[in-house]
Amino acid sequence: MSRFWSPSIQSLVPYTPGEQPQVEGLIKLNTNENPYPPAPAVRDVLDQFDTSRLRLYPDPESALLKQSLAHTHGLNTNQVFIGNGSDEVLALTFMALLRQDKPLLLPETTYSFYNVYIDLYGIEARHIELTDDFRIDLSQYQQPNGGIIFANPNAPTGISVPLSEIRALLESNTDSVVVVDEAYVDFGAESATALIDQYPNLLVTQTFSKSRSLAGLRIGCAFGHADLIEALERVKNSFNSYPLDMLAQAVAVASLEDENYFRSRLDQVIATREWTNQQLQTLGFEVLPSHTNFVFASHPNVSGAELMAYLRENKILVRHFTKPRIENHLRITIGTDDEMQTLINYLQQHPKL
Ligand code: PMP
Protein backbone atom coordinates (compact mmCIF):
# COMPACT_ATOMS: atom_id res chain seq x y z
CA MET A 1 0.00 0.00 0.00
CA SER A 2 1.25 3.46 -0.78
CA ARG A 3 0.11 6.92 0.27
CA PHE A 4 -0.15 7.71 -3.43
CA TRP A 5 -2.85 5.10 -4.05
CA SER A 6 -6.49 5.97 -4.49
CA PRO A 7 -8.46 4.84 -1.39
CA SER A 8 -10.76 2.78 -3.63
CA ILE A 9 -7.97 0.42 -4.71
CA GLN A 10 -6.48 -0.23 -1.28
CA SER A 11 -8.82 -3.13 -0.50
CA LEU A 12 -8.36 -4.79 -3.91
CA VAL A 13 -7.01 -8.32 -3.91
CA PRO A 14 -5.50 -9.57 -7.18
CA TYR A 15 -7.87 -12.19 -8.54
CA THR A 16 -6.28 -15.26 -10.11
CA PRO A 17 -2.48 -15.11 -10.51
CA GLY A 18 -2.06 -17.79 -7.85
CA GLU A 19 -4.60 -19.95 -9.64
CA GLN A 20 -2.54 -19.98 -12.85
CA PRO A 21 0.81 -21.58 -11.91
CA GLN A 22 2.97 -21.75 -15.05
CA VAL A 23 4.34 -25.24 -14.36
CA GLU A 24 3.83 -28.53 -16.15
CA GLY A 25 2.46 -31.77 -14.80
CA LEU A 26 -0.51 -30.51 -12.82
CA ILE A 27 -4.10 -31.62 -13.28
CA LYS A 28 -5.65 -28.20 -13.43
CA LEU A 29 -9.25 -28.26 -12.25
CA ASN A 30 -9.32 -24.85 -10.58
CA THR A 31 -10.32 -22.18 -13.11
CA ASN A 32 -13.00 -23.84 -15.24
CA GLU A 33 -11.00 -24.11 -18.43
CA ASN A 34 -12.14 -26.62 -21.04
CA PRO A 35 -9.98 -29.77 -21.20
CA TYR A 36 -10.47 -30.13 -24.96
CA PRO A 37 -8.83 -28.14 -27.75
CA PRO A 38 -10.88 -25.59 -29.69
CA ALA A 39 -12.56 -26.61 -32.97
CA PRO A 40 -10.30 -27.97 -35.74
CA ALA A 41 -11.37 -24.96 -37.85
CA VAL A 42 -9.48 -22.80 -35.35
CA ARG A 43 -6.24 -24.66 -36.09
CA ASP A 44 -6.89 -24.27 -39.83
CA VAL A 45 -7.35 -20.51 -39.50
CA LEU A 46 -4.11 -20.20 -37.56
CA ASP A 47 -2.21 -22.45 -39.99
CA GLN A 48 -3.36 -20.39 -42.95
CA PHE A 49 -3.08 -16.99 -41.33
CA ASP A 50 -1.15 -14.49 -43.46
CA THR A 51 1.26 -13.06 -40.90
CA SER A 52 1.96 -10.00 -43.06
CA ARG A 53 -1.51 -8.82 -41.99
CA LEU A 54 -0.25 -8.46 -38.43
CA ARG A 55 1.39 -5.14 -39.30
CA LEU A 56 -2.11 -3.64 -39.58
CA TYR A 57 -4.39 -2.71 -36.69
CA PRO A 58 -7.35 -5.03 -36.16
CA ASP A 59 -10.88 -4.14 -37.22
CA PRO A 60 -12.06 -1.96 -34.30
CA GLU A 61 -15.65 -3.09 -34.91
CA SER A 62 -14.92 -6.85 -35.03
CA ALA A 63 -17.49 -6.71 -37.84
CA LEU A 64 -17.22 -10.32 -39.07
CA LEU A 65 -17.43 -11.68 -35.56
CA LYS A 66 -20.38 -9.45 -34.75
CA GLN A 67 -22.20 -10.70 -37.84
CA SER A 68 -21.44 -14.26 -36.97
CA LEU A 69 -22.61 -13.88 -33.35
CA ALA A 70 -25.74 -11.99 -34.44
CA HIS A 71 -26.54 -14.80 -36.85
CA THR A 72 -25.93 -17.51 -34.23
CA HIS A 73 -28.30 -15.83 -31.76
CA GLY A 74 -30.92 -14.56 -34.21
CA LEU A 75 -30.13 -10.89 -33.41
CA ASN A 76 -29.03 -7.79 -35.30
CA THR A 77 -25.41 -6.67 -35.23
CA ASN A 78 -26.36 -3.56 -33.24
CA GLN A 79 -27.49 -5.90 -30.46
CA VAL A 80 -24.02 -7.44 -30.11
CA PHE A 81 -20.96 -6.14 -28.25
CA ILE A 82 -17.47 -7.68 -28.32
CA GLY A 83 -14.81 -7.40 -25.63
CA ASN A 84 -11.53 -8.91 -24.48
CA GLY A 85 -13.05 -11.67 -22.40
CA SER A 86 -16.33 -11.26 -20.56
CA ASP A 87 -14.41 -9.77 -17.63
CA GLU A 88 -13.77 -6.72 -19.81
CA VAL A 89 -17.38 -6.71 -20.98
CA LEU A 90 -18.50 -6.76 -17.33
CA ALA A 91 -16.06 -3.99 -16.43
CA LEU A 92 -17.47 -1.80 -19.20
CA THR A 93 -21.00 -2.72 -18.11
CA PHE A 94 -20.24 -1.36 -14.66
CA MET A 95 -18.90 1.85 -16.20
CA ALA A 96 -21.72 2.32 -18.68
CA LEU A 97 -24.88 0.83 -17.23
CA LEU A 98 -24.70 -0.12 -13.53
CA ARG A 99 -24.77 3.41 -12.36
CA GLN A 100 -22.90 4.71 -9.38
CA ASP A 101 -25.85 6.84 -8.31
CA LYS A 102 -28.32 3.93 -8.28
CA PRO A 103 -28.59 0.83 -6.13
CA LEU A 104 -27.59 -2.61 -7.35
CA LEU A 105 -28.98 -6.00 -6.30
CA LEU A 106 -26.93 -9.17 -6.55
CA PRO A 107 -26.60 -12.55 -4.84
CA GLU A 108 -24.46 -12.76 -1.71
CA THR A 109 -22.63 -15.69 -3.27
CA THR A 110 -21.83 -15.21 -6.94
CA TYR A 111 -18.90 -14.30 -9.21
CA SER A 112 -16.60 -12.29 -6.94
CA PHE A 113 -15.56 -9.91 -9.70
CA TYR A 114 -18.81 -7.91 -9.41
CA ASN A 115 -17.83 -6.79 -5.91
CA VAL A 116 -14.51 -5.46 -7.18
CA TYR A 117 -16.40 -2.96 -9.33
CA ILE A 118 -18.95 -2.25 -6.64
CA ASP A 119 -16.06 -1.27 -4.32
CA LEU A 120 -14.16 0.61 -6.99
CA TYR A 121 -17.13 2.76 -7.94
CA GLY A 122 -18.63 2.94 -4.47
CA ILE A 123 -21.93 1.52 -5.72
CA GLU A 124 -24.68 1.08 -3.15
CA ALA A 125 -25.17 -2.69 -3.37
CA ARG A 126 -27.60 -5.00 -1.61
CA HIS A 127 -26.50 -8.62 -1.47
CA ILE A 128 -29.29 -11.20 -1.27
CA GLU A 129 -28.59 -14.55 0.41
CA LEU A 130 -28.95 -17.73 -1.60
CA THR A 131 -31.71 -20.08 -0.44
CA ASP A 132 -30.89 -22.92 1.98
CA ASP A 133 -30.26 -25.16 -1.00
CA PHE A 134 -27.91 -22.56 -2.58
CA ARG A 135 -30.32 -21.36 -5.28
CA ILE A 136 -30.85 -17.77 -6.45
CA ASP A 137 -34.48 -16.93 -5.64
CA LEU A 138 -35.23 -14.23 -8.19
CA SER A 139 -38.62 -13.48 -6.64
CA GLN A 140 -36.65 -11.67 -3.90
CA TYR A 141 -35.07 -9.30 -6.42
CA GLN A 142 -37.18 -6.17 -6.58
CA GLN A 143 -35.36 -3.05 -7.66
CA PRO A 144 -37.58 -0.14 -8.75
CA ASN A 145 -34.81 1.83 -10.47
CA GLY A 146 -31.21 0.70 -10.52
CA GLY A 147 -29.47 -2.52 -11.48
CA ILE A 148 -29.52 -6.26 -10.93
CA ILE A 149 -26.64 -8.60 -11.76
CA PHE A 150 -26.22 -12.34 -11.35
CA ALA A 151 -24.55 -15.26 -13.06
CA ASN A 152 -26.75 -17.92 -14.65
CA PRO A 153 -25.73 -20.63 -14.03
CA ASN A 154 -24.38 -19.14 -10.86
CA ALA A 155 -20.73 -19.43 -9.88
CA PRO A 156 -19.38 -21.08 -7.84
CA THR A 157 -22.52 -23.09 -7.11
CA GLY A 158 -23.21 -24.21 -10.71
CA ILE A 159 -26.99 -24.02 -10.23
CA SER A 160 -29.11 -22.36 -12.92
CA VAL A 161 -32.46 -20.57 -12.81
CA PRO A 162 -35.02 -21.32 -15.54
CA LEU A 163 -35.88 -18.78 -18.22
CA SER A 164 -39.42 -18.40 -16.85
CA GLU A 165 -37.98 -16.94 -13.62
CA ILE A 166 -35.78 -14.50 -15.53
CA ARG A 167 -38.81 -13.44 -17.54
CA ALA A 168 -40.76 -12.81 -14.32
CA LEU A 169 -37.81 -10.81 -12.95
CA LEU A 170 -37.76 -8.63 -16.07
CA GLU A 171 -41.53 -8.12 -15.88
CA SER A 172 -41.29 -6.84 -12.31
CA ASN A 173 -38.14 -4.71 -12.76
CA THR A 174 -38.76 -2.82 -15.97
CA ASP A 175 -36.85 0.28 -14.85
CA SER A 176 -33.67 -1.49 -13.80
CA VAL A 177 -30.87 -2.79 -15.99
CA VAL A 178 -30.76 -6.57 -15.56
CA VAL A 179 -27.39 -8.15 -16.36
CA VAL A 180 -27.29 -11.93 -16.75
CA ASP A 181 -23.74 -13.31 -16.87
CA GLU A 182 -23.96 -16.49 -18.93
CA ALA A 183 -20.31 -17.56 -18.83
CA TYR A 184 -21.38 -21.20 -18.35
CA VAL A 185 -24.78 -21.25 -20.05
CA ASP A 186 -23.81 -23.68 -22.84
CA PHE A 187 -23.30 -26.53 -20.38
CA GLY A 188 -27.03 -27.08 -19.94
CA ALA A 189 -28.85 -23.89 -18.83
CA GLU A 190 -31.42 -21.82 -20.74
CA SER A 191 -30.05 -18.65 -22.32
CA ALA A 192 -31.81 -15.34 -21.76
CA THR A 193 -30.73 -14.15 -25.23
CA ALA A 194 -34.15 -15.43 -26.35
CA LEU A 195 -35.72 -12.54 -24.34
CA ILE A 196 -33.63 -9.70 -25.72
CA ASP A 197 -36.15 -8.49 -28.30
CA GLN A 198 -38.87 -8.23 -25.62
CA TYR A 199 -36.99 -6.53 -22.77
CA PRO A 200 -34.97 -3.36 -23.51
CA ASN A 201 -33.41 -3.49 -20.02
CA LEU A 202 -31.78 -6.93 -20.42
CA LEU A 203 -28.05 -7.38 -21.03
CA VAL A 204 -26.64 -10.89 -21.41
CA THR A 205 -22.88 -11.50 -21.27
CA GLN A 206 -21.15 -14.59 -22.62
CA THR A 207 -17.62 -15.84 -23.18
CA PHE A 208 -15.57 -18.02 -25.54
CA SER A 209 -13.35 -19.05 -22.61
CA LYS A 210 -15.32 -22.02 -21.35
CA SER A 211 -17.56 -23.85 -23.81
CA ARG A 212 -15.44 -22.84 -26.83
CA SER A 213 -12.06 -23.68 -25.25
CA LEU A 214 -10.58 -20.25 -26.03
CA ALA A 215 -9.66 -18.81 -22.62
CA GLY A 216 -6.16 -18.05 -23.95
CA LEU A 217 -7.43 -15.53 -26.50
CA ARG A 218 -9.76 -13.45 -24.26
CA ILE A 219 -13.00 -13.23 -26.23
CA GLY A 220 -16.24 -12.13 -24.59
CA CYS A 221 -19.48 -10.61 -25.79
CA ALA A 222 -22.74 -9.05 -24.68
CA PHE A 223 -26.21 -9.13 -26.20
CA GLY A 224 -28.94 -6.61 -25.55
CA HIS A 225 -31.11 -3.81 -26.88
CA ALA A 226 -29.24 -1.52 -29.29
CA ASP A 227 -29.36 1.30 -26.71
CA LEU A 228 -27.54 -0.77 -24.10
CA ILE A 229 -24.99 -1.93 -26.65
CA GLU A 230 -24.40 1.66 -27.76
CA ALA A 231 -23.63 2.63 -24.16
CA LEU A 232 -20.98 -0.09 -23.99
CA GLU A 233 -19.50 0.99 -27.34
CA ARG A 234 -19.33 4.60 -26.19
CA VAL A 235 -17.44 3.77 -23.04
CA LYS A 236 -15.13 1.36 -24.83
CA ASN A 237 -14.31 3.84 -27.56
CA SER A 238 -13.92 6.80 -25.23
CA PHE A 239 -11.38 4.97 -23.12
CA ASN A 240 -9.70 3.69 -26.27
CA SER A 241 -9.98 0.17 -24.87
CA TYR A 242 -8.34 -2.37 -27.13
CA PRO A 243 -10.42 -3.94 -29.85
CA LEU A 244 -10.26 -7.70 -30.04
CA ASP A 245 -6.93 -8.56 -31.66
CA MET A 246 -6.83 -9.79 -35.24
CA LEU A 247 -6.11 -13.43 -34.42
CA ALA A 248 -8.82 -13.55 -31.77
CA GLN A 249 -11.37 -12.17 -34.24
CA ALA A 250 -10.47 -14.74 -36.90
CA VAL A 251 -10.38 -17.62 -34.45
CA ALA A 252 -13.69 -16.70 -32.82
CA VAL A 253 -15.45 -16.66 -36.21
CA ALA A 254 -13.99 -20.07 -37.07
CA SER A 255 -15.06 -21.52 -33.74
CA LEU A 256 -18.66 -20.40 -34.30
CA GLU A 257 -18.72 -22.15 -37.67
CA ASP A 258 -18.12 -25.63 -36.29
CA GLU A 259 -21.38 -26.34 -34.49
CA ASN A 260 -21.00 -30.15 -34.61
CA TYR A 261 -17.64 -30.12 -32.89
CA PHE A 262 -18.96 -27.63 -30.34
CA ARG A 263 -21.98 -29.80 -29.48
CA SER A 264 -19.99 -33.02 -29.31
CA ARG A 265 -17.47 -31.55 -26.84
CA LEU A 266 -20.24 -30.05 -24.73
CA ASP A 267 -21.94 -33.46 -24.58
CA GLN A 268 -18.65 -35.01 -23.51
CA VAL A 269 -18.07 -32.48 -20.70
CA ILE A 270 -21.66 -32.92 -19.51
CA ALA A 271 -21.34 -36.73 -19.49
CA THR A 272 -18.07 -36.51 -17.53
CA ARG A 273 -19.70 -34.05 -15.12
CA GLU A 274 -22.55 -36.44 -14.39
CA TRP A 275 -20.09 -39.33 -13.90
CA THR A 276 -17.98 -37.21 -11.52
CA ASN A 277 -21.08 -36.13 -9.62
CA GLN A 278 -22.08 -39.79 -9.11
CA GLN A 279 -18.59 -40.82 -8.01
CA LEU A 280 -18.37 -37.96 -5.51
CA GLN A 281 -21.75 -38.85 -4.07
CA THR A 282 -20.65 -42.46 -3.69
CA LEU A 283 -17.75 -41.13 -1.60
CA GLY A 284 -20.21 -39.29 0.63
CA PHE A 285 -19.95 -35.81 -0.91
CA GLU A 286 -22.93 -33.55 -1.20
CA VAL A 287 -22.87 -32.22 -4.75
CA LEU A 288 -25.03 -29.36 -6.00
CA PRO A 289 -26.87 -29.91 -9.30
CA SER A 290 -24.61 -28.32 -11.92
CA HIS A 291 -25.37 -26.85 -15.33
CA THR A 292 -21.75 -25.80 -15.79
CA ASN A 293 -18.34 -27.34 -16.49
CA PHE A 294 -17.64 -27.66 -12.77
CA VAL A 295 -19.18 -29.22 -9.70
CA PHE A 296 -19.49 -27.69 -6.25
CA ALA A 297 -19.19 -30.29 -3.52
CA SER A 298 -18.64 -30.64 0.22
CA HIS A 299 -18.00 -33.58 2.52
CA PRO A 300 -19.31 -33.90 6.09
CA ASN A 301 -16.07 -35.50 7.39
CA VAL A 302 -13.32 -33.38 5.85
CA SER A 303 -12.97 -29.62 5.48
CA GLY A 304 -12.68 -28.02 2.07
CA ALA A 305 -9.30 -26.52 2.99
CA GLU A 306 -7.92 -29.92 4.00
CA LEU A 307 -9.16 -31.58 0.83
CA MET A 308 -7.77 -28.84 -1.36
CA ALA A 309 -4.33 -29.13 0.30
CA TYR A 310 -4.40 -32.94 0.00
CA LEU A 311 -5.20 -32.76 -3.71
CA ARG A 312 -2.56 -30.06 -4.22
CA GLU A 313 0.07 -32.38 -2.70
CA ASN A 314 -0.96 -34.88 -5.34
CA LYS A 315 -0.65 -32.32 -8.14
CA ILE A 316 -4.37 -31.73 -8.59
CA LEU A 317 -5.57 -28.13 -8.37
CA VAL A 318 -9.16 -27.41 -7.34
CA ARG A 319 -10.71 -24.20 -6.06
CA HIS A 320 -11.58 -23.51 -2.45
CA PHE A 321 -13.26 -20.35 -1.13
CA THR A 322 -12.94 -19.01 2.39
CA LYS A 323 -16.30 -17.25 2.30
CA PRO A 324 -18.73 -18.22 5.09
CA ARG A 325 -21.41 -20.76 4.08
CA ILE A 326 -19.27 -22.15 1.25
CA GLU A 327 -15.96 -22.55 3.10
CA ASN A 328 -16.38 -26.33 3.19
CA HIS A 329 -17.01 -26.65 -0.52
CA LEU A 330 -14.66 -27.38 -3.36
CA ARG A 331 -15.25 -26.16 -6.87
CA ILE A 332 -13.92 -28.82 -9.22
CA THR A 333 -13.64 -28.11 -12.94
CA ILE A 334 -14.61 -30.98 -15.22
CA GLY A 335 -11.50 -32.23 -17.01
CA THR A 336 -11.02 -35.25 -19.26
CA ASP A 337 -12.31 -38.66 -18.16
CA ASP A 338 -8.75 -39.67 -17.21
CA GLU A 339 -8.22 -36.55 -15.12
CA MET A 340 -11.49 -37.08 -13.27
CA GLN A 341 -10.67 -40.74 -12.70
CA THR A 342 -7.32 -39.70 -11.18
CA LEU A 343 -9.10 -37.20 -8.93
CA ILE A 344 -11.55 -39.85 -7.74
CA ASN A 345 -8.72 -42.36 -7.16
CA TYR A 346 -6.90 -39.92 -4.88
CA LEU A 347 -10.08 -39.05 -3.01
CA GLN A 348 -10.76 -42.77 -2.47
CA GLN A 349 -7.32 -43.05 -0.88
CA HIS A 350 -7.94 -40.19 1.57
CA PRO A 351 -8.00 -41.67 5.10
CA LYS A 352 -11.19 -39.85 6.11
CA LEU A 353 -13.24 -40.69 3.01
N1 PMP B 1 -18.29 -14.68 -15.42
C1 PMP B 1 -18.13 -15.75 -14.64
C2 PMP B 1 -19.28 -16.20 -13.80
C3 PMP B 1 -16.91 -16.43 -14.60
O1 PMP B 1 -16.74 -17.49 -13.79
C4 PMP B 1 -15.86 -15.98 -15.42
C5 PMP B 1 -14.53 -16.72 -15.44
N2 PMP B 1 -13.73 -16.51 -14.35
C6 PMP B 1 -16.06 -14.85 -16.21
C7 PMP B 1 -17.29 -14.24 -16.20
C8 PMP B 1 -14.98 -14.24 -17.04
O2 PMP B 1 -14.57 -15.04 -18.08
P1 PMP B 1 -13.70 -14.47 -19.28
O3 PMP B 1 -13.16 -13.13 -18.89
O4 PMP B 1 -12.64 -15.49 -19.49
O5 PMP B 1 -14.62 -14.36 -20.44
Side-chain angles (χ1 to χ4, degrees):
M1 195 165 89
S2 152
R3 67 197 164 93
F4 299 117
W5 288 15
S6 155
S8 59
I9 71 157
Q10 292 188 356
S11 63
L12 293 182
V13 181
Y15 176 51
T16 48
E19 300 290 336
Q20 311 294 2
Q22 303 295 310
V23 289
E24 298 288 312
L26 297 171
I27 295 184
K28 194 167 176 307
L29 307 176
N30 62 334
T31 53
N32 300 339
E33 288 135 331
N34 198 310
Y36 300 109
V42 165
R43 196 190 45 232
D44 296 344
V45 162
L46 291 176
D47 283 349
Q48 290 155 20
F49 192 81
D50 172 6
T51 51
S52 70
R53 280 177 58 205
L54 289 177
R55 68 194 176 76
L56 301 170
Y57 286 107
D59 172 9
E61 304 290 328
S62 299
L64 287 178
L65 178 55
K66 256 187 205 171
Q67 278 163 24
S68 189
L69 276 170
H71 176 74
T72 309
H73 292 273
L75 297 167
N76 295 320
T77 48
N78 64 359
Q79 295 172 302
V80 180
F81 178 78
I82 314 274
N84 291 282
S86 55
D87 276 347
E88 187 194 59
V89 176
L90 289 164
L92 295 167
T93 300
F94 269 92
M95 286 189 211
L97 296 166
L98 299 176
R99 295 175 39 173
Q100 290 155 44
D101 56 345
K102 296 198 171 174
L104 179 66
L105 287 188
L106 71 162
E108 171 61 34
T109 302
T110 189
Y111 187 33
S112 54
F113 195 55
Y114 313 145
N115 286 317
V116 174
Y117 281 95
I118 287 169
D119 290 349
L120 189 64
Y121 295 132
I123 294 174
E124 178 196 332
R126 189 152 68 83
H127 295 84
I128 300 185
E129 277 295 341
L130 299 181
T131 61
D132 290 345
D133 53 356
F134 295 98
R135 282 182 304 105
I136 295 176
D137 176 5
L138 287 181
S139 69
Q140 293 179 41
Y141 290 65
Q142 298 297 330
Q143 180 64 270
N145 184 0
I148 298 175
I149 186 167
F150 59 97
N152 189 44
N154 197 16
T157 62
I159 300 177
S160 68
V161 292
L163 203 52
S164 56
E165 290 175 21
I166 297 178
R167 188 189 288 278
L169 174 84
L170 289 160
E171 294 287 347
S172 58
N173 290 281
T174 48
D175 292 326
S176 283
V177 175
V178 175
V179 180
V180 186
D181 173 353
E182 293 190 349
Y184 301 100
V185 74
D186 295 326
F187 298 101
E190 296 178 298
S191 174
T193 52
L195 304 178
I196 278 169
D197 281 332
Q198 295 155 58
Y199 298 97
N201 57 331
L202 169 63
L203 189 82
V204 177
T205 63
Q206 291 189 1
T207 179
F208 283 60
S209 299
K210 317 292 180 182
S211 58
R212 294 195 179 269
S213 305
L214 288 169
L217 281 183
R218 316 303 302 123
I219 307 163
C221 48
F223 306 101
H225 190 282
D227 284 348
L228 300 187
I229 299 301
E230 190 189 327
L232 293 175
E233 299 283 7
R234 275 195 191 205
V235 174
K236 185 168 168 114
N237 295 337
S238 310
F239 283 87
N240 200 12
S241 259
Y242 295 111
L244 209 57
D245 74 56
M246 200 183 272
L247 287 175
Q249 291 189 32
V251 159
V253 170
S255 133
L256 287 169
E257 277 162 7
D258 201 340
E259 187 67 12
N260 286 341
Y261 177 87
F262 176 61
R263 293 279 150 214
S264 72
R265 291 306 191 188
L266 283 181
D267 289 348
Q268 178 63 61
V269 171
I270 291 168
T272 309
R273 177 185 76 206
E274 296 312 305
W275 179 87
T276 307
N277 189 328
Q278 273 306 318
Q279 297 293 317
L280 290 171
Q281 288 191 43
T282 306
L283 284 166
F285 280 88
E286 284 163 27
V287 192
L288 298 187
S290 169
H291 276 142
T292 60
N293 65 338
F294 57 85
V295 288
F296 201 52
S298 63
H299 199 285
N301 303 347
V302 204
S303 76
E306 184 180 337
L307 279 174
M308 185 195 65
Y310 165 77
L311 290 170
R312 181 72 185 79
E313 278 163 27
N314 291 295
K315 297 193 165 14
I316 300 177
L317 303 188
V318 297
R319 192 78 194 267
H320 172 249
F321 301 85
T322 50
K323 195 173 160 57
R325 253 200 104 183
I326 58 167
E327 70 219 338
N328 258 335
H329 284 74
L330 293 181
R331 193 193 67 188
I332 306 171
T333 304
I334 301 303
T336 61
D337 286 347
D338 281 355
E339 288 174 329
M340 301 324 276
Q341 184 69 64
T342 306
L343 168 93
I344 297 295
N345 291 348
Y346 276 115
L347 289 175
Q348 280 167 344
Q349 289 163 30
H350 191 284
K352 295 190 198 160
L353 295 180

